[in-house]
mmCIF file of all heavy atoms in Angstrom:
data_model
loop_
_atom_site.group_PDB
_atom_site.id
_atom_site.type_symbol
_atom_site.label_atom_id
_atom_site.label_comp_id
_atom_site.label_asym_id
_atom_site.label_seq_id
_atom_site.Cartn_x
_atom_site.Cartn_y
_atom_site.Cartn_z
ATOM 1 N N MET A 1 -62.026 65.852 -132.511
ATOM 2 C CA MET A 1 -61.059 65.860 -133.596
ATOM 3 C C MET A 1 -61.773 65.931 -134.940
ATOM 4 O O MET A 1 -61.319 66.609 -135.836
ATOM 5 C CB MET A 1 -60.200 64.602 -133.485
ATOM 6 C CG MET A 1 -59.044 64.608 -134.437
ATOM 7 S SD MET A 1 -57.897 65.927 -134.043
ATOM 8 C CE MET A 1 -56.397 65.074 -134.072
ATOM 9 N N ARG A 2 -62.865 65.260 -135.051
ATOM 10 C CA ARG A 2 -63.591 65.230 -136.317
ATOM 11 C C ARG A 2 -64.136 66.616 -136.668
ATOM 12 O O ARG A 2 -64.125 67.020 -137.823
ATOM 13 C CB ARG A 2 -64.720 64.213 -136.218
ATOM 14 C CG ARG A 2 -65.442 64.013 -137.506
ATOM 15 C CD ARG A 2 -66.471 62.917 -137.393
ATOM 16 N NE ARG A 2 -67.127 62.735 -138.673
ATOM 17 C CZ ARG A 2 -68.181 62.000 -138.848
ATOM 18 N NH1 ARG A 2 -68.703 61.346 -137.846
ATOM 19 N NH2 ARG A 2 -68.715 61.893 -140.028
ATOM 20 N N ASN A 3 -64.623 67.346 -135.659
ATOM 21 C CA ASN A 3 -65.170 68.674 -135.892
ATOM 22 C C ASN A 3 -64.101 69.612 -136.449
ATOM 23 O O ASN A 3 -64.375 70.432 -137.317
ATOM 24 C CB ASN A 3 -65.753 69.227 -134.591
ATOM 25 C CG ASN A 3 -66.599 70.455 -134.819
ATOM 26 O OD1 ASN A 3 -67.090 70.687 -135.910
ATOM 27 N ND2 ASN A 3 -66.763 71.256 -133.788
ATOM 28 N N TRP A 4 -62.868 69.504 -135.943
ATOM 29 C CA TRP A 4 -61.758 70.320 -136.417
ATOM 30 C C TRP A 4 -61.494 70.063 -137.897
ATOM 31 O O TRP A 4 -61.296 70.997 -138.676
ATOM 32 C CB TRP A 4 -60.512 69.993 -135.586
ATOM 33 C CG TRP A 4 -59.300 70.741 -136.012
ATOM 34 C CD1 TRP A 4 -58.986 72.016 -135.686
ATOM 35 C CD2 TRP A 4 -58.247 70.269 -136.844
ATOM 36 N NE1 TRP A 4 -57.793 72.375 -136.254
ATOM 37 C CE2 TRP A 4 -57.317 71.315 -136.976
ATOM 38 C CE3 TRP A 4 -57.999 69.066 -137.492
ATOM 39 C CZ2 TRP A 4 -56.153 71.178 -137.733
ATOM 40 C CZ3 TRP A 4 -56.841 68.951 -138.236
ATOM 41 C CH2 TRP A 4 -55.953 69.996 -138.351
ATOM 42 N N LYS A 5 -61.520 68.796 -138.298
ATOM 43 C CA LYS A 5 -61.282 68.445 -139.708
ATOM 44 C C LYS A 5 -62.389 68.998 -140.589
ATOM 45 O O LYS A 5 -62.133 69.461 -141.704
ATOM 46 C CB LYS A 5 -61.186 66.933 -139.870
ATOM 47 C CG LYS A 5 -59.909 66.363 -139.308
ATOM 48 C CD LYS A 5 -59.840 64.872 -139.519
ATOM 49 C CE LYS A 5 -58.583 64.277 -138.937
ATOM 50 N NZ LYS A 5 -58.509 62.831 -139.140
ATOM 51 N N ASN A 6 -63.619 68.985 -140.103
ATOM 52 C CA ASN A 6 -64.733 69.539 -140.878
ATOM 53 C C ASN A 6 -64.563 71.033 -141.091
ATOM 54 O O ASN A 6 -64.813 71.539 -142.179
ATOM 55 C CB ASN A 6 -66.064 69.266 -140.177
ATOM 56 C CG ASN A 6 -66.485 67.817 -140.271
ATOM 57 O OD1 ASN A 6 -65.991 67.070 -141.099
ATOM 58 N ND2 ASN A 6 -67.381 67.412 -139.400
ATOM 59 N N CYS A 7 -64.130 71.740 -140.049
ATOM 60 C CA CYS A 7 -63.916 73.185 -140.163
ATOM 61 C C CYS A 7 -62.819 73.502 -141.167
ATOM 62 O O CYS A 7 -62.958 74.413 -141.976
ATOM 63 C CB CYS A 7 -63.571 73.777 -138.802
ATOM 64 S SG CYS A 7 -64.958 73.817 -137.669
ATOM 65 N N VAL A 8 -61.731 72.766 -141.116
ATOM 66 C CA VAL A 8 -60.630 72.983 -142.060
ATOM 67 C C VAL A 8 -61.095 72.688 -143.477
ATOM 68 O O VAL A 8 -60.818 73.443 -144.407
ATOM 69 C CB VAL A 8 -59.403 72.125 -141.684
ATOM 70 C CG1 VAL A 8 -58.352 72.182 -142.777
ATOM 71 C CG2 VAL A 8 -58.823 72.576 -140.361
ATOM 72 N N GLY A 9 -61.830 71.611 -143.648
ATOM 73 C CA GLY A 9 -62.336 71.260 -144.972
ATOM 74 C C GLY A 9 -63.266 72.321 -145.531
ATOM 75 O O GLY A 9 -63.171 72.694 -146.707
ATOM 76 N N LEU A 10 -64.146 72.841 -144.684
ATOM 77 C CA LEU A 10 -65.058 73.891 -145.135
ATOM 78 C C LEU A 10 -64.308 75.178 -145.468
ATOM 79 O O LEU A 10 -64.640 75.857 -146.435
ATOM 80 C CB LEU A 10 -66.121 74.160 -144.072
ATOM 81 C CG LEU A 10 -67.198 73.097 -143.940
ATOM 82 C CD1 LEU A 10 -68.102 73.404 -142.751
ATOM 83 C CD2 LEU A 10 -68.021 73.004 -145.213
ATOM 84 N N ALA A 11 -63.288 75.500 -144.679
ATOM 85 C CA ALA A 11 -62.491 76.698 -144.957
ATOM 86 C C ALA A 11 -61.771 76.570 -146.292
ATOM 87 O O ALA A 11 -61.742 77.513 -147.080
ATOM 88 C CB ALA A 11 -61.493 76.936 -143.823
ATOM 89 N N LEU A 12 -61.190 75.416 -146.547
ATOM 90 C CA LEU A 12 -60.498 75.205 -147.818
ATOM 91 C C LEU A 12 -61.468 75.246 -148.991
ATOM 92 O O LEU A 12 -61.167 75.837 -150.029
ATOM 93 C CB LEU A 12 -59.743 73.875 -147.802
ATOM 94 C CG LEU A 12 -58.516 73.831 -146.894
ATOM 95 C CD1 LEU A 12 -57.943 72.417 -146.859
ATOM 96 C CD2 LEU A 12 -57.471 74.813 -147.351
ATOM 97 N N LEU A 13 -62.616 74.637 -148.822
ATOM 98 C CA LEU A 13 -63.621 74.657 -149.879
ATOM 99 C C LEU A 13 -64.068 76.086 -150.160
ATOM 100 O O LEU A 13 -64.181 76.499 -151.313
ATOM 101 C CB LEU A 13 -64.815 73.785 -149.488
ATOM 102 C CG LEU A 13 -65.945 73.702 -150.501
ATOM 103 C CD1 LEU A 13 -65.452 73.110 -151.805
ATOM 104 C CD2 LEU A 13 -67.088 72.891 -149.938
ATOM 105 N N GLY A 14 -64.300 76.855 -149.097
ATOM 106 C CA GLY A 14 -64.694 78.248 -149.266
ATOM 107 C C GLY A 14 -63.618 79.058 -149.971
ATOM 108 O O GLY A 14 -63.918 79.881 -150.834
ATOM 109 N N ALA A 15 -62.358 78.811 -149.611
ATOM 110 C CA ALA A 15 -61.258 79.522 -150.263
ATOM 111 C C ALA A 15 -61.194 79.187 -151.745
ATOM 112 O O ALA A 15 -60.994 80.075 -152.577
ATOM 113 C CB ALA A 15 -59.943 79.174 -149.580
ATOM 114 N N ILE A 16 -61.382 77.923 -152.072
ATOM 115 C CA ILE A 16 -61.350 77.512 -153.474
ATOM 116 C C ILE A 16 -62.485 78.169 -154.251
ATOM 117 O O ILE A 16 -62.287 78.666 -155.362
ATOM 118 C CB ILE A 16 -61.409 75.974 -153.586
ATOM 119 C CG1 ILE A 16 -60.100 75.377 -153.075
ATOM 120 C CG2 ILE A 16 -61.686 75.537 -155.017
ATOM 121 C CD1 ILE A 16 -60.138 73.869 -152.885
ATOM 122 N N VAL A 17 -63.667 78.197 -153.664
ATOM 123 C CA VAL A 17 -64.814 78.821 -154.326
ATOM 124 C C VAL A 17 -64.542 80.308 -154.565
ATOM 125 O O VAL A 17 -64.820 80.828 -155.647
ATOM 126 C CB VAL A 17 -66.099 78.620 -153.496
ATOM 127 C CG1 VAL A 17 -67.232 79.482 -154.003
ATOM 128 C CG2 VAL A 17 -66.505 77.155 -153.516
ATOM 129 N N LEU A 18 -63.994 80.990 -153.558
ATOM 130 C CA LEU A 18 -63.686 82.415 -153.721
ATOM 131 C C LEU A 18 -62.637 82.650 -154.790
ATOM 132 O O LEU A 18 -62.734 83.598 -155.564
ATOM 133 C CB LEU A 18 -63.228 83.000 -152.387
ATOM 134 C CG LEU A 18 -64.307 83.156 -151.325
ATOM 135 C CD1 LEU A 18 -63.688 83.621 -150.009
ATOM 136 C CD2 LEU A 18 -65.385 84.121 -151.780
ATOM 137 N N VAL A 19 -61.631 81.801 -154.842
ATOM 138 C CA VAL A 19 -60.576 81.942 -155.843
ATOM 139 C C VAL A 19 -61.162 81.767 -157.239
ATOM 140 O O VAL A 19 -60.904 82.567 -158.139
ATOM 141 C CB VAL A 19 -59.444 80.929 -155.598
ATOM 142 C CG1 VAL A 19 -58.517 80.845 -156.792
ATOM 143 C CG2 VAL A 19 -58.655 81.311 -154.360
ATOM 144 N N VAL A 20 -61.965 80.749 -157.418
ATOM 145 C CA VAL A 20 -62.535 80.471 -158.737
ATOM 146 C C VAL A 20 -63.509 81.575 -159.145
ATOM 147 O O VAL A 20 -63.511 82.015 -160.291
ATOM 148 C CB VAL A 20 -63.231 79.090 -158.740
ATOM 149 C CG1 VAL A 20 -64.024 78.882 -160.012
ATOM 150 C CG2 VAL A 20 -62.201 77.992 -158.572
ATOM 151 N N ALA A 21 -64.307 82.047 -158.208
ATOM 152 C CA ALA A 21 -65.316 83.058 -158.529
ATOM 153 C C ALA A 21 -64.722 84.456 -158.690
ATOM 154 O O ALA A 21 -65.248 85.259 -159.458
ATOM 155 C CB ALA A 21 -66.382 83.077 -157.443
ATOM 156 N N GLY A 22 -63.635 84.755 -157.975
ATOM 157 C CA GLY A 22 -63.121 86.119 -157.952
ATOM 158 C C GLY A 22 -61.975 86.416 -158.895
ATOM 159 O O GLY A 22 -61.524 87.548 -158.957
ATOM 160 N N CYS A 23 -61.495 85.452 -159.643
ATOM 161 C CA CYS A 23 -60.305 85.670 -160.475
ATOM 162 C C CYS A 23 -60.677 85.786 -161.939
ATOM 163 O O CYS A 23 -61.428 84.987 -162.461
ATOM 164 C CB CYS A 23 -59.329 84.514 -160.318
ATOM 165 S SG CYS A 23 -58.722 84.359 -158.654
ATOM 166 N N ASN A 24 -60.087 86.779 -162.592
ATOM 167 C CA ASN A 24 -60.301 86.930 -164.033
ATOM 168 C C ASN A 24 -59.078 86.536 -164.832
ATOM 169 O O ASN A 24 -59.169 86.300 -166.024
ATOM 170 C CB ASN A 24 -60.686 88.375 -164.359
ATOM 171 C CG ASN A 24 -62.043 88.731 -163.829
ATOM 172 O OD1 ASN A 24 -62.932 87.893 -163.788
ATOM 173 N ND2 ASN A 24 -62.220 89.952 -163.410
ATOM 174 N N THR A 25 -57.926 86.494 -164.188
ATOM 175 C CA THR A 25 -56.692 86.180 -164.900
ATOM 176 C C THR A 25 -55.880 85.165 -164.110
ATOM 177 O O THR A 25 -56.124 84.939 -162.927
ATOM 178 C CB THR A 25 -55.830 87.433 -165.085
ATOM 179 O OG1 THR A 25 -55.423 87.894 -163.801
ATOM 180 C CG2 THR A 25 -56.573 88.528 -165.817
ATOM 181 N N VAL A 26 -54.897 84.579 -164.736
ATOM 182 C CA VAL A 26 -54.000 83.637 -164.052
ATOM 183 C C VAL A 26 -53.217 84.372 -162.972
ATOM 184 O O VAL A 26 -53.023 83.850 -161.881
ATOM 185 C CB VAL A 26 -53.044 82.977 -165.067
ATOM 186 C CG1 VAL A 26 -52.018 82.117 -164.363
ATOM 187 C CG2 VAL A 26 -53.830 82.155 -166.080
ATOM 188 N N GLU A 27 -52.811 85.587 -163.252
ATOM 189 C CA GLU A 27 -52.082 86.385 -162.260
ATOM 190 C C GLU A 27 -52.956 86.642 -161.037
ATOM 191 O O GLU A 27 -52.504 86.515 -159.904
ATOM 192 C CB GLU A 27 -51.641 87.710 -162.865
ATOM 193 C CG GLU A 27 -50.838 88.582 -161.916
ATOM 194 C CD GLU A 27 -50.413 89.893 -162.544
ATOM 195 O OE1 GLU A 27 -50.703 90.127 -163.723
ATOM 196 O OE2 GLU A 27 -49.789 90.685 -161.823
ATOM 197 N N GLY A 28 -54.196 86.984 -161.268
ATOM 198 C CA GLY A 28 -55.133 87.212 -160.163
ATOM 199 C C GLY A 28 -55.350 85.944 -159.355
ATOM 200 O O GLY A 28 -55.436 85.991 -158.128
ATOM 201 N N ALA A 29 -55.425 84.811 -160.028
ATOM 202 C CA ALA A 29 -55.598 83.537 -159.330
ATOM 203 C C ALA A 29 -54.394 83.250 -158.450
ATOM 204 O O ALA A 29 -54.542 82.824 -157.299
ATOM 205 C CB ALA A 29 -55.801 82.405 -160.337
ATOM 206 N N GLY A 30 -53.211 83.521 -158.946
ATOM 207 C CA GLY A 30 -52.000 83.303 -158.158
ATOM 208 C C GLY A 30 -51.977 84.165 -156.911
ATOM 209 O O GLY A 30 -51.620 83.700 -155.829
ATOM 210 N N LYS A 31 -52.360 85.415 -157.051
ATOM 211 C CA LYS A 31 -52.398 86.315 -155.894
ATOM 212 C C LYS A 31 -53.431 85.846 -154.873
ATOM 213 O O LYS A 31 -53.187 85.890 -153.670
ATOM 214 C CB LYS A 31 -52.704 87.740 -156.344
ATOM 215 C CG LYS A 31 -51.556 88.398 -157.079
ATOM 216 C CD LYS A 31 -51.921 89.798 -157.518
ATOM 217 C CE LYS A 31 -50.793 90.440 -158.298
ATOM 218 N NZ LYS A 31 -51.148 91.775 -158.766
ATOM 219 N N ASP A 32 -54.601 85.423 -155.355
ATOM 220 C CA ASP A 32 -55.647 84.947 -154.445
ATOM 221 C C ASP A 32 -55.205 83.688 -153.713
ATOM 222 O O ASP A 32 -55.445 83.546 -152.510
ATOM 223 C CB ASP A 32 -56.942 84.674 -155.214
ATOM 224 C CG ASP A 32 -57.624 85.946 -155.674
ATOM 225 O OD1 ASP A 32 -57.277 87.024 -155.157
ATOM 226 O OD2 ASP A 32 -58.499 85.864 -156.547
ATOM 227 N N ILE A 33 -54.566 82.780 -154.413
ATOM 228 C CA ILE A 33 -54.094 81.538 -153.789
ATOM 229 C C ILE A 33 -53.030 81.857 -152.749
ATOM 230 O O ILE A 33 -53.023 81.292 -151.653
ATOM 231 C CB ILE A 33 -53.562 80.562 -154.853
ATOM 232 C CG1 ILE A 33 -54.723 80.060 -155.706
ATOM 233 C CG2 ILE A 33 -52.813 79.395 -154.212
ATOM 234 C CD1 ILE A 33 -54.307 79.311 -156.948
ATOM 235 N N GLU A 34 -52.144 82.795 -153.072
ATOM 236 C CA GLU A 34 -51.092 83.186 -152.133
ATOM 237 C C GLU A 34 -51.703 83.785 -150.866
ATOM 238 O O GLU A 34 -51.304 83.454 -149.748
ATOM 239 C CB GLU A 34 -50.151 84.192 -152.782
ATOM 240 C CG GLU A 34 -48.994 84.604 -151.893
ATOM 241 C CD GLU A 34 -48.046 85.577 -152.582
ATOM 242 O OE1 GLU A 34 -48.289 85.936 -153.748
ATOM 243 O OE2 GLU A 34 -47.073 85.968 -151.934
ATOM 244 N N LYS A 35 -52.683 84.655 -151.022
ATOM 245 C CA LYS A 35 -53.330 85.265 -149.862
ATOM 246 C C LYS A 35 -54.062 84.219 -149.036
ATOM 247 O O LYS A 35 -54.068 84.278 -147.807
ATOM 248 C CB LYS A 35 -54.292 86.371 -150.307
ATOM 249 C CG LYS A 35 -53.567 87.612 -150.769
ATOM 250 C CD LYS A 35 -54.518 88.726 -151.103
ATOM 251 C CE LYS A 35 -53.757 89.938 -151.575
ATOM 252 N NZ LYS A 35 -54.610 91.096 -151.750
ATOM 253 N N GLY A 36 -54.686 83.254 -149.702
ATOM 254 C CA GLY A 36 -55.359 82.168 -148.981
ATOM 255 C C GLY A 36 -54.367 81.341 -148.181
ATOM 256 O O GLY A 36 -54.625 80.986 -147.025
ATOM 257 N N GLY A 37 -53.212 81.051 -148.768
ATOM 258 C CA GLY A 37 -52.176 80.306 -148.078
ATOM 259 C C GLY A 37 -51.642 81.064 -146.873
ATOM 260 O O GLY A 37 -51.379 80.494 -145.816
ATOM 261 N N GLU A 38 -51.476 82.385 -147.040
ATOM 262 C CA GLU A 38 -51.004 83.214 -145.929
ATOM 263 C C GLU A 38 -52.017 83.220 -144.782
ATOM 264 O O GLU A 38 -51.637 83.163 -143.615
ATOM 265 C CB GLU A 38 -50.737 84.631 -146.407
ATOM 266 C CG GLU A 38 -49.529 84.748 -147.324
ATOM 267 C CD GLU A 38 -49.392 86.113 -147.969
ATOM 268 O OE1 GLU A 38 -50.285 86.965 -147.794
ATOM 269 O OE2 GLU A 38 -48.389 86.325 -148.663
ATOM 270 N N ALA A 39 -53.304 83.264 -145.112
ATOM 271 C CA ALA A 39 -54.340 83.262 -144.078
ATOM 272 C C ALA A 39 -54.327 81.937 -143.313
ATOM 273 O O ALA A 39 -54.450 81.910 -142.086
ATOM 274 C CB ALA A 39 -55.711 83.496 -144.703
ATOM 275 N N ILE A 40 -54.158 80.839 -144.044
ATOM 276 C CA ILE A 40 -54.103 79.527 -143.395
ATOM 277 C C ILE A 40 -52.865 79.429 -142.511
ATOM 278 O O ILE A 40 -52.936 78.918 -141.390
ATOM 279 C CB ILE A 40 -54.122 78.399 -144.458
ATOM 280 C CG1 ILE A 40 -55.483 78.369 -145.141
ATOM 281 C CG2 ILE A 40 -53.804 77.047 -143.811
ATOM 282 C CD1 ILE A 40 -55.553 77.463 -146.349
ATOM 283 N N GLN A 41 -51.758 79.983 -142.986
ATOM 284 C CA GLN A 41 -50.518 79.951 -142.187
ATOM 285 C C GLN A 41 -50.677 80.781 -140.917
ATOM 286 O O GLN A 41 -50.252 80.353 -139.845
ATOM 287 C CB GLN A 41 -49.362 80.480 -143.023
ATOM 288 C CG GLN A 41 -48.015 80.308 -142.344
ATOM 289 C CD GLN A 41 -46.869 80.700 -143.268
ATOM 290 O OE1 GLN A 41 -47.064 81.372 -144.259
ATOM 291 N NE2 GLN A 41 -45.679 80.274 -142.914
ATOM 292 N N ARG A 42 -51.311 81.951 -141.015
ATOM 293 C CA ARG A 42 -51.537 82.775 -139.819
ATOM 294 C C ARG A 42 -52.450 82.055 -138.836
ATOM 295 O O ARG A 42 -52.226 82.112 -137.630
ATOM 296 C CB ARG A 42 -52.167 84.122 -140.213
ATOM 297 C CG ARG A 42 -51.186 85.109 -140.770
ATOM 298 C CD ARG A 42 -51.792 86.502 -140.856
ATOM 299 N NE ARG A 42 -53.030 86.540 -141.611
ATOM 300 C CZ ARG A 42 -53.134 86.755 -142.919
ATOM 301 N NH1 ARG A 42 -52.054 86.945 -143.635
ATOM 302 N NH2 ARG A 42 -54.313 86.792 -143.505
ATOM 303 N N ALA A 43 -53.466 81.373 -139.334
ATOM 304 C CA ALA A 43 -54.366 80.629 -138.451
ATOM 305 C C ALA A 43 -53.647 79.486 -137.755
ATOM 306 O O ALA A 43 -53.929 79.177 -136.600
ATOM 307 C CB ALA A 43 -55.553 80.109 -139.259
ATOM 308 N N ALA A 44 -52.700 78.879 -138.445
ATOM 309 C CA ALA A 44 -51.953 77.764 -137.856
ATOM 310 C C ALA A 44 -51.007 78.243 -136.764
ATOM 311 O O ALA A 44 -50.728 77.516 -135.816
ATOM 312 C CB ALA A 44 -51.169 77.033 -138.937
ATOM 313 N N ASP A 45 -50.509 79.478 -136.898
ATOM 314 C CA ASP A 45 -49.602 80.037 -135.886
ATOM 315 C C ASP A 45 -50.398 80.365 -134.660
ATOM 316 O O ASP A 45 -50.129 80.159 -133.580
ATOM 317 C CB ASP A 45 -48.897 81.291 -136.393
ATOM 318 C CG ASP A 45 -47.890 80.969 -137.483
ATOM 319 O OD1 ASP A 45 -47.470 79.806 -137.588
ATOM 320 O OD2 ASP A 45 -47.538 81.894 -138.238
#
């Protein structure tokens, strides 16, 4: 169970880093966050 939590934590951290590094505008940040949320939702399904 602990390993699963570590993987989720690392995935979220990686997503946050990509969002911060890859966005130049607030609109771009919103799109990146939305895509990250969609990826997490697909993984959960």
Side-chain angles (χ1 to χ4, degrees):
M1 188 65 132
R2 185 175 181 190
N3 193 22
W4 178 81
K5 288 181 181 180
N6 287 342
C7 289
V8 171
L10 286 174
L12 289 174
L13 180 61
I16 290 169
V17 168
L18 289 175
V19 167
V20 170
C23 297
N24 292 326
T25 64
V26 174
E27 182 180 358
K31 289 179 182 178
D32 288 344
I33 291 169
E34 183 178 0
K35 286 184 181 187
E38 290 171 355
I40 292 171
Q41 188 174 17
R42 282 192 305 270
D45 291 340

